[in-house]
């Protein structure tokens, strides 16, 4: 009987790992879809302003 219990424990660990990978994969896909959606004009301006603020020279007076 102990051999049967060990087999079930290994199967449970494998099933848990599979479910964890599936959850990770689905969240990665949803994150990519969210990043791929087009920006509104307001959001686009904010992104550009953030880029230009990072590239602007520092005033050293």
């Amino acid at each position: 009987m102990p051999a049967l219990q060990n087999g079930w424990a290994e199967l449970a660990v494998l099933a848990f790992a599979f479910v964890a990978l599936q959850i990770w994969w689905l969240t990665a896909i949803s994150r990519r879809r969210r990043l791929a959606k087009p920006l509104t004009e307001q959001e686009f301006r904010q992104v550009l302003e953030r880029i230009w603020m990072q590239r602007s020279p520092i005033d050293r007076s």
Side-chain angles (χ1 to χ4, degrees), residues 3-5 8 11-12 15 18 23 25 29 31 33 37 39-40 42-43 47 49 54 56 59 61:
L4 181 63
Q5 290 174 345
W8 283 107
L11 184 61
F18 178 75
I23 291 171
W25 181 62
I29 287 175
R31 192 176 307 124
R33 284 185 181 168
K37 75 174 178 68
L39 298 175
T40 64
Q42 176 80 13
E43 292 169 333
V47 169
E49 287 174 2
Q54 290 174 354
S56 66
D59 184 24
S61 312

Side-chain angles (χ1 to χ4, degrees), residues 8-50:
W8 283 107
E10 293 170 359
L11 184 61
V13 168
L14 184 64
F16 178 76
F18 178 75
V19 169
L21 285 173
Q22 287 292 315
I23 291 171
W24 171 79
W25 181 62
L26 291 172
T27 55
I29 287 175
S30 68
R31 192 176 307 124
R32 269 188 267 148
R33 284 185 181 168
R34 194 171 48 240
L35 289 173
K37 75 174 178 68
L39 298 175
T40 64
E41 186 175 339
Q42 176 80 13
E43 292 169 333
F44 184 68
R45 285 180 189 222
Q46 289 174 350
V47 169
L48 285 179
E49 287 174 2
R50 198 173 339 131

